[in-house]
Amino acid sequence: MRPARALIDLSALRHNYRLALELSSAKALAVIKADAYGHGAVRCAEALEGDAQGFAVAAIEEALELRAAGVTKPILLLEGIFEPSELALVDAHDLWIVVHSAWQVDAIERANLRQPVTVWLKVDSGMHRVGFHPYEYAAIWRRLQATGKVRDIVFMTHFSRADEPDCPRTAEQLATFEAAREGLSGETSLCNSPALLAWPQVRSDWVRPGIMLYGASPFEMPQEQVSRLVPVMTLESKVIAVRELPPNEPVGYGARFVCERPTRVGVVAMGYADGYPRHAPTGTPVCIDGRPGRIIGRVSMDMLTVDLTDHPHAGLGSTVEFWGRNVLASDIAMTAGTIPYQIFCNVRRVQREYRDGL
Ligand SMILES: *Cc1c(COP(=O)(O)O)cnc(C)c1O
């Protein structure tokens, strides 16, 4: 079998979730949308179910998969319903919904629900993607209350630049949020991972950590709390061929790497079809049998090449880590011009193996 695999450490996931609770002193919905950022939503939910106060996913399909697997904790749909008919499923499966648009309020008004629904009412405090305008927020809240079909209404908003600790936008969004809900009582939810990690002055009843649960930094610069996160995913594979090349010989597609010295090249079963970023250039770090190494040449679909010249003990069958505890996914993301969110979400085709240290 092809040796490419993603090891998922569920005890690290729990550690990171507990860190989110500790740092925020709030309740936390574990954000496990997009198949838990490529880590496997059902397995991650099961691992967290003893600790987590609830989960958040993007859409009802993801929530139904969790309910079918026996997850009973609250599940929030971060984009709410996509059409009015979904309210019947929301009702049947006891889901929480974000309400961000007027048509969703209309749908609740018209719906026949068995039980009142929990709504997270979103205000657009400056991201300008979804959410109600601050000036209409209170009126929408009253309209929802008047339906008699709503249990709790949590006030929520989403930050656009919380990963930039020196940017005033987060404080501006916070002020807009507070003004929009002035005089209304209910729980609040503000923080994603970067806000939770870098903005201790932002307080709310609920936080919504995503990327930090998987142990990766949302920041481009060093950040104090990030060192306390433990990477959950290790992406690794093995050397499947070795060759010795003289100087001036090229390696791989497009001859993007040309040997400067006698070079021992290791070919590894990992490529962009597994989600490894094709734009990772020569020099991108890897860890070869526990020692720092580098990629050379272009990443192809199923294979890539590493420099074994300074790794005399490595050879056929050596293990190469692409990210994990030795190579940080956020560093690879930066090197390849992307973010760790996309690095994780792109992982596919490799075998997933779960470990649970506790
Ligand atoms: C995805 C998402 C989050 C989690 O964001 P991270 O940066 O991964 O922590 C939080 N809130 C909302 C509304 C989201 O869509």
Side-chain angles (χ1 to χ4, degrees):
M1 215 158 44
R2 198 158 168 271
R5 57 183 192 164
L7 302 170
I8 310 288
D9 181 347
L10 297 171
S11 52
L13 179 73
R14 272 194 302 275
H15 165 90
N16 296 330
Y17 180 83
R18 288 171 189 161
L19 183 65
L21 293 180
E22 180 197 321
L23 292 175
S24 65
S25 314
K27 295 182 276 187
L29 292 186
V31 180
I32 54 171
K33 62 189 177 189
D35 206 19
Y37 296 40
H39 292 66
V42 168
R43 294 299 297 267
C44 288
E46 287 170 352
L48 287 174
E49 205 165 15
D51 293 82
Q53 284 121 349
F55 300 101
V57 295
I60 196 154
E61 301 90 308
E62 295 179 334
L64 295 183
E65 188 195 356
L66 294 170
R67 284 285 186 256
V71 174
T72 57
K73 288 275 169 75
I75 302 174
L76 175 69
L77 309 184
L78 287 167
E79 289 163 44
I81 54 169
F82 290 85
E83 48 190 290
S85 62
E86 288 177 14
L87 278 175
L89 286 169
V90 164
D91 193 26
H93 294 277
D94 199 11
L95 305 173
W96 295 357
I97 51 173
V98 166
V99 169
H100 58 73
S101 291
W103 73 263
Q104 294 173 324
V105 181
D106 299 342
I108 292 172
E109 280 174 340
R110 290 200 200 99
N112 278 318
L113 302 177
R114 291 183 317 170
Q115 53 183 344
V117 61
T118 293
V119 166
W120 287 43
L121 187 60
K122 192 162 188 173
V123 61
D124 175 10
S125 60
M127 171 76 116
H128 298 328
R129 230 171 30 173
V130 293
F132 293 96
H133 295 295
Y135 63 79
E136 62 180 350
Y137 195 54
I140 293 286
W141 183 83
R142 283 189 209 98
R143 237 184 99 192
L144 277 172
Q145 294 285 14
T147 63
K149 298 174 187 175
V150 172
R151 185 184 294 133
D152 298 314
I153 303 180
V154 176
F155 302 102
M156 81 175 285
T157 196
H158 194 50
F159 294 125
S160 57
R161 302 184 66 178
D163 57 330
E164 300 170 73
D166 299 324
C167 175
R169 188 62 169 171
T170 301
E172 289 164 16
Q173 284 194 255
L174 177 63
T176 302
F177 174 78
E178 293 300 355
R181 67 170 209 102
E182 206 188 327
L184 308 179
S185 66
E187 291 188 319
T188 56
S189 177
L190 293 161
C191 294
N192 53 3
S193 301
L196 202 166
L197 290 163
W199 294 85
Q201 63 275 46
V202 179
R203 290 269 156 221
S204 60
D205 299 296
W206 288 92
V207 291
R208 309 184 304 267
I211 194 73
M212 70 176 287
L213 298 180
Y214 310 103
S217 173
F219 305 101
E220 287 193 356
M221 63 294 278
Q223 204 275 338
E224 198 189 330
Q225 303 297 348
V226 159
S227 59
R228 300 175 66 191
L229 298 172
V230 180
V232 174
M233 181 193 292
T234 301
L235 184 74
E236 62 173 42
S237 189
K238 291 193 185 301
V239 174
I240 58 165
V242 178
R243 68 200 51 239
E244 314 264 354
L245 292 177
N248 299 319
E249 284 299 317
V251 177
Y253 284 117
R256 283 306 177 89
F257 177 82
V258 177
C259 298
E260 287 170 354
R261 55 176 181 169
T263 300
R264 222 169 134 245
V265 179
V267 181
V268 190
M270 173 61 58
Y272 59 78
D274 303 299
Y276 192 84
R278 181 173 177 276
H279 289 109
T282 287
T284 299
V286 293
C287 192
I288 303 169
D289 284 340
R291 292 187 50 225
R294 62 169 189 151
I295 284 179
I296 53 178
R298 252 191 194 154
V299 173
S300 48
M301 187 183 285
D302 312 310
M303 288 183 260
L304 54 74
T305 37
V306 296
D307 189 350
L308 295 181
T309 316
D310 299 326
H311 293 259
H313 302 294
L316 270 185
S318 283
T319 297
V320 179
E321 176 189 311
F322 296 97
W323 53 75
R325 296 199 186 192
N326 298 299
V327 181
L328 295 182
S330 48
D331 290 343
I332 300 305
M334 206 129 47
T335 309
T338 181
I339 52 176
Y341 300 74
Q342 192 189 27
I343 289 279
F344 292 146
C345 290
N346 278 351
V347 172
R348 71 188 83 89
R349 191 170 73 175
V350 303
Q351 311 166 56
R352 262 195 211 135
E353 288 176 25
Y354 290 90
R355 306 233 164 120
D356 201 332
L358 296 175

